[in-house]
Amino acid sequence: MTSFDSSPTLTAWRALLAIAVVFVMLATTGWTAVRHQHSAGPRETALASWAKDRIAGHALPDVSAPADRLTHFFATLTSGQQVALADKYPLVVGNLNGVPVSLRYRANRHALAQAESAEEQRTRDVRLSPDGHRQAVLRLERFRSLLAGDRQILTFDPSGRGRAAEVFGDLERAERVSVVVPGVDTNLLTLERRGIKKNAAPVGMAQSLYGAERSARPGSRTAVIAWADYTAPAGIGMDAALGGLAAEGAVRLNALVKALPGTSDVSLFCHSYGSVLCGLAAHDLPARVSDIAVAGSPGMRVDSAAALHTGARVWAMRDGDDWIEDVPNMAVGGLGHGADPVDPAFGARIVSADGAVGHSGYFEPGTESLSNFAAIGVGAYDSVSCATTDGACHGDISGDAEA
């Protein structure tokens, strides 16, 4: 369930699953996931200060308030007051759903600049171990990359392994919005990669999809979000076989989608463990989510597409040499992610992934997997290539949607 091709052997997978199943069956209280240690990061420090501060004589809103309440609060401020808050609390404002998008971009540039400065100092810390120094150098390179040009960073938190989201296109004016939800090993250091693995990383996936959508429907106003704003499992371990991190991510994904500006249709493109997250988010998604497309999925933690309880169309694909096909589709005591979405009995619209290679090849230019994603993203449903010749994936769709 990694986003890349460093897959474990199937023997190791099966051994892991077998051991875990035995443990679950023997336990009297079910499976209990190990809690991760978490120390206070720069955002936590900023949040504590925010909670005590005031502006124009008024207390600042609770950051957990609904997005519409945060939108109203910022609408009552002058542009100068908005900028002042963004500059003083970039790690807070830059991550608040409901805050104007342009203000979040500004705040996150400030947060990145601060993180860059702090990480540059860390690289000169002689107390760091060789591995610690290497990690600091890599993080510094990532921060500098995200600061380059006019990149639109929608969320940014350097704490721990880090989280971020980047926008391609004009999110405020878009008629259709696509959200790319990646899988295991998603963090700041794997947010983007150069060279042959570029389109296997979240930013590369989103860039590739954005370009394909613009080619599929030239002149359409689309936007694509590379959404790496959840804590993903680190490697193929017990967290990847359980749904706890996906459930936490589902809450964050729903909060994002519900706070997106405008009334545009939204499509979710969920890869690998990201499809587990999308499955758990599905029942609570707003009506504007028209499509959920999964690729290389280990399961969506339901037995059927109908059990997702969503009005969105559900699409599924898997290429012929994706190793995920051999991971058992099981669900025992919270372990495993259930039915295979490309099994016809599941009830998803099964589309072609022709041309994709391996577990991380679905967003490569020139593949049917990418062209199908793009067609779904812009609502050009008649252009979608079904996995079978009978065109079953087009059922109950009356032509293209309006762009």
Side-chain angles (χ1 to χ4, degrees):
M1 286 170 288
T2 69
S3 295
F4 310 110
D5 279 328
S6 56
S7 60
T9 65
L10 299 179
T11 301
W13 248 109
R14 291 183 175 121
L16 174 65
L17 290 172
I19 292 170
V21 168
V22 171
F23 187 89
V24 171
M25 293 176 69
L26 292 175
T28 58
T29 58
W31 180 264
T32 301
V34 176
R35 293 182 180 273
H36 297 282
Q37 297 297 320
H38 179 71
S39 57
R43 184 162 187 262
E44 285 77 7
T45 302
L47 287 169
S49 180
W50 169 279
K52 302 174 184 176
D53 207 350
R54 304 174 70 83
I55 189 167
H58 300 287
L60 301 182
D62 188 333
V63 295
S64 63
D68 57 352
R69 193 175 304 169
L70 294 171
T71 299
H72 174 74
F73 171 78
F74 275 85
T76 66
L77 303 179
T78 66
S79 59
Q81 290 170 333
Q82 290 183 358
V83 168
L85 280 181
D87 292 353
K88 185 176 182 180
Y89 296 107
L91 280 172
V92 178
V93 175
N95 291 285
L96 284 182
N97 291 313
V99 171
V101 169
S102 58
L103 192 64
R104 292 179 69 174
Y105 295 160
R106 177 190 177 98
N108 285 321
R109 287 196 68 82
H110 277 276
L112 276 161
Q114 292 175 358
E116 178 195 27
S117 178
E119 208 64 38
E120 186 173 23
Q121 292 182 34
R122 285 192 72 238
T123 62
R124 298 194 293 269
D125 189 341
V126 297
R127 297 169 297 176
L128 287 178
S129 68
D131 184 63
H133 181 267
R134 184 179 67 85
Q135 291 294 314
V137 169
L138 290 174
R139 285 170 61 88
L140 178 59
E141 291 175 352
R142 174 64 65 247
F143 299 151
R144 286 176 173 170
S145 176
L146 292 173
L147 279 168
D150 297 320
R151 297 181 69 169
Q152 300 177 138
I153 308 302
L154 186 65
T155 64
F156 171 70
D157 182 358
S159 303
R161 292 188 294 129
R163 296 194 294 249
E166 182 172 8
V167 176
F168 298 91
D170 189 337
L171 188 58
E172 293 180 303
R173 297 180 62 248
E175 295 168 322
R176 296 187 71 91
V177 174
S178 297
V179 183
V180 174
V181 184
V184 162
D185 284 332
T186 294
N187 56 61
L188 277 177
L189 294 185
T190 61
L191 183 65
E192 55 182 351
R193 288 197 177 189
R194 296 179 174 83
I196 61 172
K197 294 296 185 182
K198 174 182 177 182
N199 297 317
V203 166
M205 291 177 181
Q207 283 180 312
S208 187
L209 180 59
Y210 181 60
E213 287 185 352
R214 290 170 64 83
S215 295
R217 182 160 272 166
S220 64
R221 296 202 303 270
T222 67
V224 179
I225 302 173
W227 190 76
D229 193 30
Y230 80 105
T231 300
I236 303 298
M238 207 46 69
D239 276 338
L242 295 167
L245 293 180
E248 294 172 7
V251 173
R252 297 181 68 84
L253 179 62
N254 270 306
L256 166 84
V257 175
K258 291 174 181 178
L260 289 174
T263 58
S264 56
D265 280 355
V266 177
S267 299
L268 305 181
F269 297 91
C270 318
H271 178 243
S272 196
Y273 188 83
S275 68
V276 182
L277 189 161
C278 289
L280 292 173
H283 74 280
D284 197 33
L285 290 169
R288 68 188 295 187
V289 177
S290 58
D291 301 276
I292 302 172
V294 303
S297 174
M300 302 180 76
R301 300 192 77 81
V302 291
D303 293 330
S304 67
L308 293 171
H309 300 297
T310 177
R313 287 172 284 268
V314 180
W315 310 78
M317 67 170 71
R318 185 175 64 222
D319 74 71
D321 60 356
D322 188 337
W323 58 265
I324 205 79
E325 179 179 6
D326 295 310
V327 172
N329 290 105
M330 56 176 287
V332 178
L335 180 80
H337 304 307
D340 185 350
V342 299
D343 184 336
F346 185 80
R349 302 169 187 270
I350 308 174
V351 299
S352 173
D354 201 27
V357 177
H359 189 56
S360 61
Y362 295 98
F363 290 84
E364 288 294 333
T367 60
E368 280 198 0
S369 52
L370 179 61
S371 63
N372 279 333
F373 277 167
I376 293 167
V378 299
Y381 301 116
D382 283 347
S383 299
V384 175
S385 300
C386 298
T388 57
T389 57
D390 60 8
C393 74
H394 292 138
D396 301 320
I397 301 179
S398 54
D400 286 3
E402 292 296 323

